[in-house]
Amino acid sequence: MTDKAAPAAAPAAGGNKAAAAPAAGGNKAAAAPAAGGNKAAAPAAGNKAAASAPAGGAIKAPAANNPQPEINTATMKMLGQTTRIVNRAFKILNLLTLLLGVLLSSYWAYASGRYVSEAVFFVQNTDTSGSGDTGDILSMFSGNAGNKTDQLVLREYLLSVDMLKKADKKLHLREHYSDPKNDFFSRMWFKSIEIEWFYRYFMNRVGVYYDEFSGVVRLRAEAFDSETAYQLASFLVSEGESFMNRVSHEIADEQVVFLEKQVDLARQELLKANQNLLSFQNRKNLSSPTAEVEGYQKLILDLEKQKSELTIRINSLPPALAGGNQLALTLKNNLEAVETQLSRVRGLLTSNGSTALNELVEQEQLYKMDVEFKKEIYSSALTGLVKGQMNAARLIKHVSVIQAPSKPEYAMKPDRIYSFFATWITLFLVMGMFQLLKAVILDHVD
């Protein structure tokens, strides 16, 4: 065994043989026996290790290079660029928010001051019957103060367009509120603006509120100087008082006028009924048929009495005197005269003619009943007039001022400190929301 050449193959265990290919360039490769009868892989050309053959004798080709690292790099570049864009966008938003805060803070510092004049009043009735015995202010408000409807009617009048026109005519509110000396955002932009926009601006400068707990009305008027604010509040209170007095007096006057007309009508009817009664008595030449009848009735009673007495005397005469005695004749003549007179008087009372006293009495009773009826109507009308006047006096309302319009000395509006902190707190909250939105976006990008 002195040959220098290496053996081509070594016997594999279990009878299998391993094939070996000589390496290019004179290098040798030793074939290793595969355990369990597998063949050993031959070395690759160019000093590279050959891939071992799998079981079964099949040999696979070498795998191609994997391009996955190049895809990950491109994706990371795109994600990084998107992240930078998102950060830059939210940074710009934060800067704009800070700039807005600086501008608003500057505005609150240099905004035109507005003076506020306030007044407190309530509508009160003149009726004091329902006030009770407590005597406190709250019972006065609840008992004698006008109800909620009166307070709300007054509020609506003070905030009406008519009131705005009256105030503008007296105080020249257009010139005041559109004065260019005041800042652009607080003043009215144009003097000759339409009434609708002027009214809307007026509603932002004047407030009238009804306090349901105490039953009072609170008024607030704003202006760019103290004197105008005071004059505006005073004018509104004065006009409100005049309005309530005028309305209540109109209602009371209408009620009283109606009752007075009814009284005049009832008086005319009563005079007419009395005139009819007098005319009837004058036509019949009787002052009072009823009195005449009463007199005749008394006369009839007297005649009946005389007749009874004469009859008794005649019947009581002795038989010797019952014949042609002078006394008996006299008594009989008197009895006949009494009967004749009695018949004549009864004929006056109950004759069939139109001049019978009973007919006259009936007609007179009708006239008197008409007079009495008209008199009762007139009396009721007078009573209603008196009660109506009293009720009208109780229903009269007037405005009682609890706090007169104040003359401000310091511009309370705008509330600079509150507005400054409220602005920055709000902007910081907005910036915090921006950060949360940024975090959500970046989370989805990743």
Side-chain angles (χ1 to χ4, degrees):
M1 301 296 294
T2 58
D3 192 1
K4 296 180 180 179
N16 293 328
K17 297 181 178 180
N27 294 327
K28 296 179 181 180
N38 293 328
K39 296 182 178 180
N47 295 328
K48 292 182 179 179
S52 59
I59 300 176
K60 287 186 178 180
N65 293 332
N66 190 4
Q68 187 64 27
E70 296 180 359
I71 296 176
N72 290 337
T73 302
T75 304
M76 292 302 296
K77 288 181 179 180
M78 183 179 65
L79 292 178
Q81 185 178 3
T82 304
T83 303
R84 286 192 298 272
I85 293 174
V86 171
N87 290 329
R88 187 179 300 111
F90 279 94
K91 183 177 181 180
I92 294 174
L93 287 177
N94 290 330
L95 291 176
L96 291 177
T97 304
L98 292 175
L99 179 61
L100 178 62
V102 172
L103 293 177
L104 291 176
S105 301
S106 302
Y107 171 74
W108 297 129
Y110 294 99
S112 300
R114 300 193 302 272
Y115 294 84
V116 181
S117 179
E118 297 180 341
V120 181
F121 52 88
F122 66 98
V123 180
Q124 185 180 19
N125 295 335
T126 57
D127 183 17
T128 58
S129 59
S131 59
D133 298 331
T134 57
D136 57 352
I137 298 298
L138 291 179
S139 65
M140 180 181 67
F141 287 170
S142 60
N144 296 329
N147 55 22
K148 182 177 180 180
T149 303
D150 296 330
Q151 317 281 6
L152 294 179
V153 167
L154 178 59
R155 175 184 178 274
E156 292 299 323
Y157 175 72
L158 293 178
L159 295 178
S160 64
V161 178
D162 293 337
M163 177 58 64
L164 172 59
K165 293 179 179 178
K166 291 181 180 180
D168 180 39
K169 184 177 180 181
K170 182 177 180 61
L171 302 176
H172 308 287
L173 295 181
R174 286 182 180 268
E175 290 82 355
H176 175 75
Y177 285 133
S178 61
D179 192 348
K181 294 187 299 184
N182 303 314
D183 69 88
F184 180 79
F185 297 100
S186 297
R187 65 181 174 88
M188 193 168 61
W189 293 347
F190 305 102
K191 176 182 176 181
S192 58
I193 196 171
E194 292 81 2
I195 187 63
E196 290 80 8
W197 293 105
F198 184 32
Y199 177 70
R200 181 172 296 183
Y201 183 87
F202 176 76
M203 293 292 289
N204 292 329
R205 294 292 174 262
V206 174
V208 182
Y209 311 98
Y210 173 66
D211 190 343
E212 295 185 356
F213 177 74
S214 59
V216 300
V217 179
R218 303 182 185 275
L219 183 143
R220 173 188 55 81
E222 296 181 10
F224 291 111
D225 60 74
S226 175
E227 185 63 26
T228 303
Y230 171 73
Q231 291 181 0
L232 179 58
S234 301
F235 177 78
L236 292 177
V237 172
S238 177
E239 284 296 318
E241 184 175 4
S242 300
F243 170 74
M244 292 306 301
N245 292 338
R246 183 174 66 254
V247 171
S248 60
H249 278 86
E250 287 177 356
I251 297 175
D253 292 341
E254 289 178 0
Q255 181 178 0
V256 172
V257 168
F258 173 77
L259 293 174
E260 288 178 348
K261 289 182 179 179
Q262 296 300 316
V263 169
D264 291 337
L265 180 62
R267 184 187 295 112
Q268 295 297 328
E269 294 292 330
L270 177 60
L271 292 177
K272 184 178 179 180
N274 284 327
Q275 188 64 35
N276 293 334
L277 177 60
L278 292 176
S279 298
F280 168 76
Q281 291 175 349
N282 291 332
R283 288 196 308 269
K284 302 303 180 180
N285 294 322
L286 295 173
S287 61
S288 176
T290 303
E292 293 287 340
V293 170
E294 291 177 355
Y296 282 126
Q297 288 178 349
K298 290 181 180 180
L299 179 60
I300 290 174
L301 292 176
D302 292 338
L303 292 175
E304 290 286 348
K305 182 179 179 181
Q306 293 177 14
K307 179 181 177 181
S308 299
E309 291 177 352
L310 290 173
T311 302
I312 292 173
R313 291 181 65 183
I314 292 172
N315 293 331
S316 63
L317 289 175
L321 300 178
N325 187 279
Q326 184 65 32
L327 178 60
L329 293 176
T330 302
L331 290 176
K332 290 180 180 179
N333 291 333
N334 291 335
L335 180 60
E336 291 178 357
V338 168
E339 290 178 347
T340 303
Q341 183 65 22
L342 184 61
S343 299
R344 187 178 68 83
V345 172
R346 286 177 175 174
L348 291 175
L349 292 177
T350 60
S351 65
N352 295 327
S354 60
T355 59
L357 287 178
N358 57 352
E359 294 289 338
L360 297 178
V361 168
E362 183 179 359
Q363 296 179 14
E364 185 189 34
Q365 290 296 327
L366 293 177
Y367 284 110
K368 285 185 175 181
M369 288 174 61
D370 186 41
V371 170
E372 291 296 328
F373 178 70
K374 298 299 176 56
K375 187 180 295 183
E376 290 180 0
I377 293 178
Y378 179 65
S379 177
S380 299
L382 286 176
T383 303
L385 176 61
V386 174
K387 291 182 178 180
Q389 290 175 341
M390 297 176 62
N391 291 331
R394 288 197 296 265
L395 292 176
I396 292 177
K397 302 178 179 65
H398 66 277
V399 176
S400 298
V401 179
I402 300 176
Q403 174 187 325
S406 59
K407 190 169 185 179
E409 299 179 356
Y410 177 77
M412 296 297 297
K413 297 292 183 178
D415 193 345
R416 305 177 192 275
I417 298 177
Y418 171 80
S419 300
F420 177 83
F421 284 103
T423 298
W424 282 108
I425 290 174
T426 304
L427 292 179
F428 285 148
L429 290 176
V430 172
M431 293 174 65
M433 294 174 62
F434 286 163
Q435 294 300 320
L436 291 176
L437 181 60
K438 173 184 172 182
V440 172
I441 294 175
L442 293 178
D443 182 66
H444 283 77
V445 169
D446 294 339

